[in-house]
Amino acid sequence: MYTRAVRVVDLETCDGVGFHVGADTDLAFLLFKPVSFLSRHISGNAKISTAALLTRHHPILFTNYAPKDASLRSSSSLGSPSSRAFRALKWCEPGSGYQCCPFYAELRADRPGFFEFRVVCSCECPSEELLNGSGVVLSRFFLHVDDVAPALTLSSLPAITPPLLAPRSSSATQRSSSNGCPLAGMSVQTLIVKCLGILSSWPQHFRTAAACGYTAVHFTPIQPRGSSDSSYCICDQLGIEPRLFEVPTSAEERFQEVEKMLTKAREEYNLVPLVDVLLSHTAENTLWLSDHPDAGFSLNSAPHLKKAFVLDTALKQFTHNIKSGVHGSIDIKVPADIDNLIALFVSHYLPKIRLWEFYVLNARLEVENFSKLHSLNHFCHPPSSHSIGEKTLQEIQGLIVQHPGNGRFMRHISNVEEAIKICLSVEEYEEVLSKLNLAFYQEYDSDIKEAMNNLRNRLAYDHFDPNGPHHSNFPVIPRYFKLMSPTSPFDVNLVGDLSGVIALAHHGWVMNDDPAVDFAGPHRKCYLHRQVNVWEDTIKLRYGDFNPHDSQPPWLWDHMAKYVTEMAQLFSGFRIDNCHSVPLEVLRFLIARARSVRPDLIILAELFSTSPEAFQAYTGSIGIHGILKEGTHYQLPTAMSHLLFESGGALLGPMGQPQENFGPNPAKPYPVKGWVFDLTHDNPPVYPSTNCLALAAAVCMSNSVTGSTRGFDELFPFHVNVVTEKRLYAMYDWDLSSTEWPGITLAKTYFNVLHNQLAISGFSEMYSSHVGPLVSLVRHNPLSLESVHMITYPSVGGIADQLPTVEVLGEIFEVLFVGTLTAVHSSQSFFTSSSTMYGCKCDFTFDTNVKLPVNSYMTLTSIPGSYSCTLSLRNFPPGSAICFKSRPPPNTAVALSKLGALLKECDTPATLFSGLDLTSMNSLLFHCKEEEEAETTFGPYEIPDYGKLTFCGIQGWMSVISSITTKFPMDMGHPLLENLRKGDWPLDYTTNRLNKYRDLHAVASWSEGVMDTIKLLPRFLIPKFFCLAISALYRAAIDYTISQMSSFVRKSPSFVQSLALSSVQVLSCLQSTPLVSPKILPALSRAPSLAAGLPHFSVGYMRNWGRDTFISVPGLMLVTGRFNEARDILLTYASSVRHGLVPNLLDSGVKPRYNSRDATWWFLSSLMDYCEMAPAGYEIFQQPITRLFPHGPSALRCTLADVIQEILTSHANGIHFREIGAGPDIDKTMQDEGFIVDIHLDSSTGFIFGGNQHNCGTWMDKMGESHRAKNFGIPATPRDGAAIEIIALLYKTVSKLAQFHKVGKYPSAGVVIGHEENLSFASWSSLIFANFHRHFYIPLAPSNDKDFVIDKTLVHRRGIYKDTLKSSIKWADYQLRPNMAVAMSVAPDLFRAHQPECEHALEVVSSLLVGPLGMRTLDPADWAYRPNYTMDDTEDFHTSKGFNYHQGPEWLWPFGHFLKALVLHKRYASLSEMKSHILTLLGPHIKCISESPWSSLPELTNLNGSTCHSGCPAQAWSCACMLEALYAMYSAS
């Protein structure tokens, strides 16, 4: 029996990982397969032979961890000069340790901090030589032991009486006072050094920080500032800003004075000092750059930048000449001026610098070399004729090498003798070089185009963007390089070899770039393409390579090592500014140096990344404690709760989580926490300012380090600019009454003290959620079972008419405080001073004397028989926060014994499921096998002698229970009941599965209480009460789900509600298959995605189909009132528009596929419906869109209206492209021609045409798959030309937009064709309307053919509408298919002018195509009709491998549109007749959905409604279109 926690580290898989363990934990390091491990890591290493590897070598595990009672000394061990001493851990006796592991080492972790471990191969040398660097490091990882902030104890806090939280046990108090406060309890105030004044005045500011409850202060760099005076532009890393001192002092004296001051901060004010370190750049006026220019990206150290330098210098000359008036008066007043400016540069300056010479071969010189050697006639060629082919080009291209100097004509032929063997003549060689150079010229053209586009965008931003700097009319072109020698750009010979030029690249950043990749690296063109947003006062540092085994590091490495070492001597922690811009190996080296003088150094990283993998890489490489996060970017309730959950510790269960088990368990990777700041010092004030208090209250509940700024706390109405600000911070008398304190500093004192005491007192678990406009945050103590709750009401996102009630687990027994900030008077300064910064006056109240149970802020209502109570807030306006404590009721055991009371909670589903949205209900009720396994690896429950449940959620149980309870007599011997009589497996499965979902923890808690209580019952009663409990939960869940939907659904019959529930079934937030990857579009990555069908289209790239989604959106999302989800899906797909098309397969935005012609029109149709059905639906047009594939220079961020215009303009002007990645990797069955997408507008009719006979761009998209039947790669139904439903969708779109524009709801009146011709939406829709009937209708009487566009020889049915127009397979136009009914449904106005013809066509469809559940997809009289679909591989061309997918099988989604067409076009005698007819037709569907174990409608059926086992039993659009038809029917009623 283990009495301690043992954490196991597998040395075979630990490389680059950061692990975390609590203090006083035993660690076991295991290596089961040492030989394979060694051979895998050191194969090919010259030091080690295979024989030696197998016979003599074994790994040695080194660590710089030392127990508490051991000293941490400095040494030059293991290739890290001045790193902490490494020691080898002793391997235990083989077989004696954990699982008889051959290599097993133990360690007890009792010293807090970050520690490094390295697995090293002995290389046949003794261990002392290993310590000197002669060993081979096979892997390295970090161990993080218990975060503790140094010198931070209970006495660090302001005196608040009584304490907000008293430690519950003496052991907690003892641990806190002896070990300090956990790091998660630290709160940091940022101080801009230039605003502190001279060093002697700093204690006043320490007093401010301490008075406000801060336990740490973060300083901007203390080094001398550069020419710009920016706080983040230092010119001497080894100096200290002399302006901090009243009298001149030596460098050594300045260092000592700062050290004394920081000691004062620690000892007198109990503040932990942190500092910014700048490792990625230095000031442009740094003196040592003259001696060490290669420490930057110079033309010598980074010759690949020469092209960029030449272009930049030419732009400097251009700018100078403009300023000097060489080109007359040039101003930028309108965007066209920018185009003119760039055109001037391209025409007058670009040719002079001959930049193309950096790309191409010097053809003249190469031909001369070839000719000289060729004339010697040493080479004999066969007399046969020789033509230049691809092989010749490839062979000569293989001889091209690139000179490392990256100068002009850097490409050249390396071996002319080989070239002569390939080319027979000088003329042929010239032609080959010409063809090869063509590609290089194209590369040049592409680079220049990109550079000019980015320059255009930058100038447009600077001069016209609302968020830009708005320069004067004079064009300001950023300088990318500092010219050091010569100093004038006009003294540089831009067409020379640049050998004497010294120029250094400025530092900056690149929008949306991968932070782990150096944008100045040799394989990047960011400087050439003008993509870098440069800081012209800085120089980007270039570290180069360094072998840690070398005795002396390069100059820059050594210089910066001295810098960080000095800072580590002074400060307790670093904030690494622009951490992502510093190579990992450099960070590893420098942080090791810093930790050699301060082993417990705290590291905060500024990483511009949202990738957990990137965070883990930095943790495993350098050992960082946190990533900077900023609360002001997460002010909305959902965002704030998500931020704090991400940044917090363990997730809170309803009544607390059990402690970690004793005994061996895998060590957990260190969860890199976000250090959550209210606001960071380099950002403008929070807007609205009244949200400051609510924001700060939420942030203080984070189970991680928190922070803020003076400006935030004191309500500065201005941005404290780190470059230009000259004023100083104010000094206050903190002994005055708290009513005299500035801003919200009184509240911040309480917030910071609370944050600290939560960590000290063991409130280690947290839960964050939002209830309507409220953010609910809970910190929970798993030992005492007490919780601290913070509820905030942010003053963003609108004001609620009535605040929702909040369910609180446990008994509220104390209110700590209530605060409100209702107004900030930006024009009324706290004090007025030109040299000192003061905040604003405000309307702020903070009540710390709130009594229970009666007070003016809340009403508590206990829930009988429950752990919970409900909280109703009063006098709680936006900008408020309330904090209170709760504990479990004393009669918990009694409550658990009352199963009836627990089940009664199901009578109030709004309470049981409080705060859950419909995607949470999806997790509760549904999830098929594939979804569940992808999300939780759990899978469905398997009932012995019965099989697996259809769903893993409650619906899975209910389908089985219903089959038992609805049978008469009931089947008491059913396998489920037998299983329940034998054991508790179904009970445990139910609770365990719910616990897999963090948003269902409240329901899981309820389930656990119920199931645990059921287990106490006699065995024979368990089946009965299990079924009762599941039924009660299911009923409550369904009631709650329906209550969250539209009034139409709530008031409709059960069949409508059953269809509506399918929206919950197929719409979910799957982490495994997000709608869009968080790496690509974080803002929308949690938007729900719609599964096209279950189970086949439920996960992976096959889940999100654009066509299926937007055919389904009107019914499943708009009719049901799920407008937010519909909006998010619309915006996500809009962000992925490319080529003027939405993707048919979204694939989370990773590899979307644009092979559908109709998905875009279904998207636009859904959007039109959204605008008319959703509240304030038209506002969606102005929603910002972040493009995955920007089209044009300014389309990265645009509005939805812009995207719509792009789609329509693209179609109007023609779309022509070949699919990216065309080939078997994206479609193994399609022929090469099928990857070509062509779409064009017929200007005479307004119709859109597209496709070809090799692809199938509509919903009838089956591609042959059978080699055996020889249909492989042949589309069964190409439907190229103009498909009728696409034209109907087109008409609907342009006519709606014309209407919307007319009433001012849509900004554009039409599109531009070419460069001049305008096509208004009104004209476009009129053109379609005028031509549609004549081109598509096939008249009943042949005598009327003259009035229509008809080929009589192809007519098979009359009185119908063509399926397509101008298909390459001409007879296919005249096939009878259900698509005409779809067209009648989506664009009824196209048909109403011809009501008799339309109605007759519906009668034909009804008689020939309508089946019991679906619509036949082809006329039964058609020669190609094959009604039964299977995936059997036979020799039948027409059916093998499902080739007849759309050639007769009966699909359900068109049936819904047929019903809607009946509602819209059929003339019934009365409304009751219409409803009777429609519902009669729906009778089989009602029966199907009620009996189906999937509680849904299938994708399709075979002949006459027979089951199709190859299709999906639950299909989104099947239910959606029925629901849409019913909505139309009831609306007509």
Side-chain angles (χ1 to χ4, degrees):
M1 177 68 68
Y2 287 92
T3 58
R4 297 170 55 83
V6 179
R7 296 296 167 254
V8 178
V9 176
D10 184 351
L11 296 178
E12 295 189 46
T13 59
C14 66
D15 190 28
V17 178
F19 294 101
H20 172 256
V21 297
D24 208 26
T25 300
D26 286 335
L27 284 149
F29 302 94
L30 311 178
L31 184 57
F32 285 96
K33 301 176 182 179
V35 173
S36 62
F37 172 72
L38 290 171
S39 62
R40 184 172 72 249
H41 283 79
I42 60 179
S43 58
N45 189 289
K47 293 183 179 180
I48 304 172
S49 66
T50 303
L53 175 68
L54 297 175
T55 57
R56 294 188 297 276
H57 289 272
H58 62 268
I60 299 177
L61 178 61
F62 286 96
T63 181
N64 59 6
Y65 177 87
K68 269 187 180 180
D69 55 0
S71 63
L72 292 173
R73 61 181 176 85
S74 296
S75 77
S76 58
S77 61
L78 215 56
S80 295
S82 301
S83 64
R84 284 172 286 171
F86 279 81
R87 63 188 179 98
L89 293 182
K90 182 180 179 181
W91 296 116
C92 298
E93 184 69 23
S96 64
Y98 180 66
Q99 292 187 353
C100 299
C101 181
F103 282 87
Y104 172 78
E106 293 179 326
L107 179 72
R108 175 163 293 182
D110 58 4
R111 180 194 289 273
F114 260 108
F115 302 94
E116 186 175 355
F117 290 75
R118 300 181 186 180
V119 183
V120 179
C121 179
S122 65
C123 301
E124 299 184 336
C125 62
S127 59
E128 59 266 21
E129 293 182 32
L130 284 169
L131 293 176
N132 290 322
S134 58
V136 177
V137 178
L138 306 180
S139 66
R140 72 177 77 215
F141 59 95
F142 273 86
L143 179 69
H144 182 239
V145 183
D146 216 25
D147 282 331
V148 175
L152 200 61
T153 65
L154 289 171
S155 62
S156 306
L157 303 171
I160 291 180
T161 305
L164 298 179
L165 302 174
R168 297 283 297 175
S169 65
S170 59
S171 61
T173 306
Q174 183 180 3
R175 187 181 75 245
S176 298
S177 60
S178 61
N179 286 353
C181 171
L183 191 66
M186 193 166 74
S187 49
V188 184
Q189 185 178 69
T190 293
L191 298 174
I192 299 174
V193 170
K194 66 192 296 187
C195 299
L196 291 174
I198 59 176
L199 188 67
S200 59
S201 64
W202 285 18
Q204 291 289 336
H205 302 296
F206 296 160
R207 173 77 175 102
T208 294
C212 294
Y214 289 101
T215 50
V217 282
H218 156 234
F219 297 89
T220 57
I222 63 171
Q223 281 69 34
R225 299 187 290 277
S227 56
S228 66
D229 201 37
S230 168
S231 297
Y232 287 88
C233 181
I234 61 175
C235 61
D236 180 7
Q237 286 74 19
L238 303 184
I240 293 178
E241 174 59 64
R243 286 174 284 185
L244 293 176
F245 304 91
E246 294 180 90
V247 296
T249 56
S250 67
E252 183 179 355
E253 290 172 326
R254 289 197 291 269
F255 186 91
Q256 292 172 352
E257 289 300 313
V258 171
E259 189 172 34
K260 291 177 184 177
M261 185 58 66
L262 296 178
T263 300
K264 183 187 288 284
R266 290 184 179 95
E267 296 178 354
E268 295 184 23
Y269 297 95
N270 293 300
L271 294 171
V272 178
L274 314 173
V275 71
D276 275 301
V277 291
L278 312 183
L279 306 178
S280 61
H281 61 274
T282 190
E284 57 92 22
N285 63 322
T286 301
L287 294 179
W288 51 256
L289 285 173
S290 299
D291 298 323
H292 305 281
D294 286 352
F297 284 80
S298 69
L299 303 186
N300 178 60
S301 64
H304 58 278
L305 295 178
K306 285 181 179 178
K307 294 192 293 287
F309 167 75
V310 170
L311 179 61
D312 185 63
T313 306
L315 286 168
K316 289 177 188 175
Q317 295 176 355
F318 179 50
T319 304
H320 180 274
N321 288 342
I322 291 175
K323 189 174 183 180
S324 302
V326 171
H327 299 288
S329 177
I330 295 181
D331 290 332
I332 296 180
K333 297 180 179 179
V334 295
D337 293 336
I338 298 175
D339 293 330
N340 296 333
L341 185 77
I342 291 175
L344 178 63
F345 175 78
V346 170
S347 61
H348 285 68
Y349 288 80
L350 201 55
K352 296 178 182 179
I353 60 176
R354 306 201 305 266
L355 210 60
W356 59 82
E357 292 180 350
F358 286 92
Y359 294 79
V360 301
L361 294 159
N362 188 335
R364 180 187 58 79
L365 182 60
E366 296 294 347
V367 171
E368 283 182 7
N369 294 336
F370 182 94
S371 179
K372 289 177 183 178
L373 195 58
H374 190 273
S375 64
L376 296 177
N377 199 24
H378 289 168
F379 299 93
C380 297
H381 298 286
S384 59
S385 61
H386 186 82
S387 60
I388 298 175
E390 189 65 31
K391 182 180 179 182
T392 302
L393 292 173
Q394 290 177 356
E395 288 176 342
I396 296 295
Q397 189 172 26
L399 299 177
I400 297 176
V401 296
Q402 184 166 314
H403 191 277
N406 284 269
R408 294 178 185 273
F409 301 117
M410 60 182 177
R411 292 184 169 111
H412 64 278
I413 303 298
S414 61
N415 192 330
V416 181
E417 292 185 357
E418 285 298 318
I420 291 178
K421 294 178 183 178
I422 299 167
C423 293
L424 305 185
S425 66
V426 175
E427 292 75 14
E428 181 184 348
Y429 189 59
E430 281 186 294
E431 186 177 350
V432 169
L433 295 183
S434 177
K435 289 184 176 182
L436 292 175
N437 265 344
L438 178 60
F440 299 143
Y441 279 113
Q442 290 172 343
E443 180 187 0
Y444 161 77
D445 290 339
S446 175
D447 285 345
I448 293 301
K449 181 180 179 181
E450 180 74 12
M452 294 303 102
N453 281 340
N454 287 324
L455 178 58
R456 180 183 293 106
N457 294 342
R458 175 58 187 264
L459 291 172
Y461 173 81
D462 287 347
H463 291 270
F464 301 114
D465 192 282
N467 298 315
H470 293 278
H471 292 312
S472 64
N473 293 340
F474 179 75
V476 178
I477 298 176
R479 296 181 296 117
Y480 272 33
F481 292 86
K482 175 182 174 60
L483 190 56
M484 300 181 68
S485 177
T487 56
S488 169
F490 290 95
D491 292 335
V492 178
N493 180 8
L494 293 183
V495 295
D497 64 3
L498 304 177
S499 58
V501 177
I502 300 176
L504 300 177
H506 290 300
H507 192 34
W509 58 280
V510 177
M511 177 75 74
N512 296 325
D513 198 36
D514 183 349
V517 179
D518 188 354
F519 59 79
H523 302 295
R524 305 297 303 279
K525 293 183 177 181
C526 297
Y527 280 88
L528 176 62
H529 287 169
R530 310 292 293 183
Q531 293 174 303
V532 185
N533 296 283
V534 292
W535 298 311
E536 295 183 35
D537 58 348
T538 67
I539 298 298
K540 182 175 175 62
L541 294 179
R542 179 187 175 275
Y543 285 88
D545 298 326
F546 169 49
N547 185 343
H549 299 318
D550 293 345
S551 59
Q552 182 61 37
W555 181 87
L556 182 61
W557 293 62
D558 187 60
H559 176 75
M560 299 302 279
K562 294 174 183 176
Y563 163 49
V564 296
T565 301
E566 286 189 357
M567 291 302 97
Q569 288 177 309
L570 292 174
F571 294 91
S572 299
F574 291 168
R575 172 188 175 271
I576 305 179
D577 185 70
N578 274 290
C579 183
H580 50 272
S581 293
V582 186
L584 269 175
E585 61 272 16
V586 176
L587 286 170
R588 187 182 295 123
F589 174 83
L590 296 178
I591 297 307
R593 285 292 190 95
R595 283 186 168 135
S596 70
V597 297
R598 190 177 293 275
D600 55 357
L601 186 72
I602 302 169
I603 303 291
L604 166 66
E606 182 188 38
L607 281 175
F608 292 166
S609 175
T610 59
S611 165
E613 292 80 13
F615 298 161
Q616 189 57 242
Y618 279 84
T619 306
S621 295
I622 62 173
I624 58 177
H625 294 78
I627 305 295
L628 188 63
K629 300 283 187 178
E630 191 161 8
T632 187
H633 298 320
Y634 302 85
Q635 295 190 65
L636 291 174
T638 306
M640 177 56 69
S641 62
H642 185 68
L643 168 68
L644 297 185
F645 168 74
E646 275 189 335
S647 304
L651 181 64
L652 168 64
M655 292 305 296
Q657 293 180 331
Q659 296 300 295
E660 289 192 302
N661 296 328
F662 290 133
N665 289 286
K668 297 178 180 179
Y670 178 58
V672 184
K673 297 182 179 181
W675 285 24
V676 186
F677 278 55
D678 305 323
L679 179 74
T680 57
H681 56 289
D682 50 0
N683 278 313
V686 170
Y687 180 84
S689 52
T690 51
N691 197 44
C692 286
L693 183 128
L695 173 61
V699 167
C700 87
M701 294 293 284
S702 175
N703 194 15
S704 64
V705 178
T706 60
S708 194
T709 66
R710 288 280 301 264
F712 180 91
D713 294 354
E714 298 170 30
L715 300 179
F716 287 1
F718 47 82
H719 178 201
V720 182
N721 191 297
V722 296
V723 179
T724 60
E725 187 59 68
K726 305 296 182 185
R727 293 171 293 177
L728 302 180
Y729 292 123
M731 300 181 186
Y732 298 96
D733 183 355
W734 296 100
D735 293 326
L736 295 175
S737 168
S738 59
T739 58
E740 303 292 323
W741 290 14
I744 59 169
T745 50
L746 173 63
K748 286 304 295 282
T749 301
Y750 277 79
F751 295 165
N752 288 329
V753 170
L754 174 64
H755 177 72
N756 186 275
Q757 291 185 352
L758 285 168
I760 289 174
S761 302
F763 286 75
S764 58
E765 298 175 349
M766 78 164 298
Y767 179 72
S768 60
S769 64
H770 65 97
V771 184
L774 304 177
V775 178
S776 175
L777 305 160
V778 183
R779 290 284 295 274
H780 180 75
N781 188 316
L783 297 179
S784 70
L785 299 183
E786 290 187 358
S787 296
V788 175
H789 304 253
M790 183 79 76
I791 298 177
T792 69
Y793 186 2
S795 54
V796 292
I799 301 175
D801 296 331
Q802 181 176 356
L803 291 178
T805 58
V806 179
E807 182 177 353
V808 178
L809 297 172
E811 167 198 359
I812 299 176
F813 67 96
E814 182 180 359
V815 178
L816 299 180
F817 51 76
V818 180
T820 299
L821 178 64
T822 55
V824 176
H825 306 293
S826 58
S827 60
Q828 301 178 28
S829 179
F830 195 77
F831 288 111
T832 302
S833 172
S834 60
S835 60
T836 306
M837 294 182 288
Y838 289 102
C840 304
K841 294 183 178 179
C842 60
D843 297 337
F844 163 65
T845 59
F846 200 77
D847 190 348
T848 60
N849 191 29
V850 182
K851 304 298 183 183
L852 286 175
V854 179
N855 59 70
S856 60
Y857 301 105
M858 63 168 64
T859 299
L860 300 177
T861 305
S862 60
I863 302 175
S866 167
Y867 304 128
S868 307
C869 64
T870 57
L871 170 67
S872 300
L873 294 168
R874 305 189 306 275
N875 300 318
F876 199 72
S880 300
I882 184 171
C883 185
F884 53 87
K885 296 194 286 186
S886 71
R887 59 193 173 199
N891 60 343
T892 298
V894 176
L896 286 174
S897 68
K898 297 179 180 178
L899 179 60
L902 287 171
L903 296 181
K904 191 172 178 59
E905 292 186 35
C906 294
D907 295 337
T908 54
T911 301
L912 182 59
F913 306 111
S914 176
L916 296 185
D917 59 18
L918 293 184
T919 56
S920 297
M921 301 309 290
N922 163 270
S923 302
L924 172 66
L925 287 165
F926 301 109
H927 278 197
C928 66
K929 171 181 176 290
E930 290 75 7
E931 291 172 306
E932 191 75 6
E933 289 177 347
E935 292 298 284
T936 67
T937 68
F938 215 55
Y941 186 84
E942 184 169 0
I943 302 172
D945 301 321
Y946 178 86
K948 294 180 179 179
L949 299 180
T950 302
F951 290 106
C952 302
I954 303 302
Q955 180 66 61
W957 291 122
M958 275 309 300
S959 295
V960 179
I961 293 172
S962 296
S963 71
I964 298 171
T965 57
T966 55
K967 188 175 181 179
F968 185 80
M970 283 196 292
D971 183 6
M972 298 307 294
H974 192 280
L976 171 61
L977 305 184
E978 288 295 322
N979 189 228
L980 286 163
R981 294 185 187 106
K982 292 178 180 179
D984 296 329
W985 308 289
L987 289 74
D988 294 335
Y989 172 90
T990 301
T991 298
N992 292 340
R993 178 191 175 270
L994 291 174
N995 275 316
K996 293 284 186 179
Y997 294 91
R998 60 190 182 196
D999 51 347
L1000 296 180
H1001 269 221
V1003 183
S1005 177
W1006 178 90
S1007 172
E1008 187 170 8
V1010 170
M1011 299 305 167
D1012 286 347
T1013 305
I1014 291 175
K1015 290 177 184 178
L1016 301 176
L1017 301 174
R1019 193 84 241 164
F1020 72 95
L1021 288 177
I1022 287 180
K1024 173 183 178 180
F1025 282 98
F1026 174 80
C1027 292
L1028 279 175
I1030 292 295
S1031 299
L1033 179 61
Y1034 179 79
R1035 184 184 67 251
I1038 296 301
D1039 289 347
Y1040 176 80
T1041 300
I1042 296 299
S1043 73
Q1044 303 301 301
M1045 294 188 178
S1046 65
S1047 60
F1048 166 74
V1049 173
R1050 295 196 303 270
K1051 297 174 183 178
S1052 290
S1054 59
F1055 176 56
V1056 171
Q1057 294 182 348
S1058 296
L1059 291 171
L1061 284 172
S1062 68
S1063 80
V1064 181
Q1065 184 183 109
V1066 297
L1067 199 66
S1068 57
C1069 295
L1070 298 183
Q1071 294 182 4
S1072 61
T1073 311
L1075 183 62
V1076 63
S1077 170
K1079 297 180 181 179
I1080 297 175
L1081 203 61
L1084 291 172
S1085 63
R1086 288 298 297 163
S1089 63
L1090 188 143
L1094 305 178
H1096 306 320
F1097 305 114
S1098 55
V1099 295
Y1101 77 97
M1102 293 289 283
R1103 176 180 175 87
N1104 297 319
W1105 292 76
R1107 176 190 300 122
D1108 297 59
T1109 293
F1110 294 111
I1111 290 176
S1112 302
V1113 160
L1116 293 188
M1117 303 178 74
L1118 303 183
V1119 169
T1120 59
R1122 302 186 69 175
F1123 300 116
N1124 290 340
E1125 293 97 326
R1127 179 199 62 214
D1128 289 346
I1129 289 176
L1130 285 163
L1131 295 178
T1132 301
Y1133 271 87
S1135 72
S1136 65
V1137 165
R1138 195 175 196 179
H1139 313 294
L1141 300 172
V1142 301
N1144 192 31
L1145 272 175
L1146 181 57
D1147 193 16
S1148 300
V1150 178
K1151 292 182 180 179
R1153 190 162 179 212
Y1154 298 84
N1155 63 328
S1156 165
R1157 290 183 285 119
D1158 63 349
T1160 301
W1161 299 106
W1162 285 112
F1163 163 77
L1164 291 171
S1165 175
S1166 293
L1167 180 56
M1168 301 303 105
D1169 293 341
Y1170 175 91
C1171 293
E1172 295 185 316
M1173 296 178 70
Y1178 298 101
E1179 294 178 5
I1180 196 173
F1181 290 133
Q1182 301 308 318
Q1183 282 288 317
I1185 301 292
T1186 299
R1187 303 293 296 276
L1188 303 189
F1189 308 102
H1191 177 71
S1194 59
L1196 177 61
R1197 298 185 185 277
C1198 59
T1199 66
L1200 179 58
D1202 296 328
V1203 176
I1204 296 170
Q1205 287 301 112
E1206 178 183 324
I1207 291 172
L1208 294 170
T1209 301
S1210 297
H1211 280 80
N1213 286 276
I1215 298 172
H1216 312 284
F1217 67 95
R1218 177 179 170 84
E1219 285 192 73
I1220 295 174
D1225 287 343
I1226 65 170
D1227 194 327
K1228 63 182 180 181
T1229 60
M1230 185 173 283
Q1231 299 177 40
D1232 189 67
E1233 298 91 333
F1235 293 107
I1236 298 172
V1237 178
D1238 283 309
I1239 300 173
H1240 69 274
L1241 169 70
D1242 181 352
S1243 60
S1244 65
T1245 61
F1247 300 164
I1248 294 291
F1249 291 80
N1252 61 55
Q1253 61 183 323
H1254 302 288
N1255 57 34
C1256 29
T1258 73
W1259 76 278
M1260 292 182 165
D1261 56 357
K1262 180 62 181 179
M1263 186 70 70
E1265 300 178 58
S1266 174
H1267 290 285
R1268 183 180 180 187
K1270 299 181 180 179
N1271 63 28
F1272 188 89
I1274 300 174
T1277 46
R1279 299 191 72 229
D1280 56 330
I1284 187 171
E1285 77 275 17
I1286 290 182
I1287 303 307
L1289 292 164
L1290 165 65
Y1291 175 79
K1292 173 183 177 179
T1293 299
V1294 295
S1295 59
K1296 290 291 184 184
L1297 290 177
Q1299 296 172 26
F1300 297 166
H1301 177 72
K1302 186 176 181 180
V1303 296
K1305 301 296 186 181
Y1306 186 75
S1308 300
V1311 297
V1312 177
I1313 301 178
H1315 296 290
E1316 298 178 356
E1317 183 181 353
N1318 291 317
L1319 177 61
S1320 70
F1321 296 133
S1323 299
W1324 197 348
S1325 62
S1326 297
L1327 190 61
I1328 297 170
F1329 185 86
N1331 286 279
F1332 181 85
H1333 192 66
R1334 189 171 73 89
H1335 283 80
F1336 277 93
Y1337 187 63
I1338 305 172
L1340 195 58
S1343 59
N1344 294 326
D1345 286 353
K1346 62 182 183 300
D1347 299 323
F1348 298 86
V1349 180
I1350 295 293
D1351 184 346
K1352 294 183 179 182
T1353 64
L1354 299 175
V1355 173
H1356 178 66
R1357 296 275 184 191
R1358 287 191 172 273
I1360 65 171
Y1361 286 81
K1362 297 175 187 174
D1363 187 59
T1364 56
L1365 191 65
K1366 295 184 180 180
S1367 170
S1368 59
I1369 305 173
K1370 295 183 178 181
W1371 48 261
D1373 288 350
Y1374 296 84
Q1375 288 183 304
L1376 173 62
R1377 295 187 183 274
N1379 299 304
M1380 73 172 78
V1382 176
M1384 294 176 187
S1385 168
V1386 298
D1389 290 343
L1390 271 179
F1391 298 87
R1392 283 185 174 135
H1394 306 280
Q1395 184 72 23
E1397 294 91 335
C1398 174
E1399 197 164 353
H1400 179 269
L1402 282 173
E1403 291 175 2
V1404 174
V1405 168
S1406 180
S1407 63
L1408 296 176
L1409 299 185
V1410 172
L1413 287 173
M1415 300 273 291
R1416 299 179 184 99
T1417 42
L1418 186 61
D1419 186 344
D1422 196 290
W1423 67 270
Y1425 178 73
R1426 304 291 191 281
N1428 294 310
Y1429 169 71
T1430 73
M1431 286 301 292
D1432 295 340
D1433 193 3
T1434 69
E1435 294 181 358
D1436 187 339
F1437 176 91
H1438 301 288
T1439 62
S1440 184
K1441 298 283 283 189
F1443 192 71
N1444 62 320
Y1445 202 27
H1446 307 100
Q1447 299 283 60
E1450 298 162 17
W1451 285 70
L1452 274 73
W1453 80 267
F1455 192 99
H1457 282 282
F1458 166 71
L1459 295 178
K1460 185 178 176 183
L1462 290 176
V1463 171
L1464 295 170
H1465 300 290
K1466 186 173 175 61
R1467 288 170 289 190
Y1468 291 97
S1470 64
L1471 289 175
S1472 60
E1473 181 190 11
M1474 178 191 70
K1475 291 175 65 177
S1476 176
H1477 184 211
I1478 299 297
L1479 293 175
T1480 298
L1481 291 172
L1482 284 171
H1485 303 81
I1486 297 171
K1487 184 174 186 290
C1488 176
I1489 202 169
S1490 64
E1491 295 180 352
S1492 168
W1494 291 87
S1495 299
S1496 184
L1497 297 177
E1499 176 186 17
L1500 74 163
T1501 70
N1502 284 336
L1503 179 64
N1504 294 327
S1506 59
T1507 300
C1508 176
H1509 297 286
S1510 296
C1512 286
Q1515 191 80 357
W1517 60 12
S1518 298
C1519 296
C1521 295
M1522 303 303 169
L1523 196 54
E1524 192 177 351
L1526 286 165
Y1527 181 75
M1529 184 191 78
Y1530 284 108
S1531 298
S1533 302

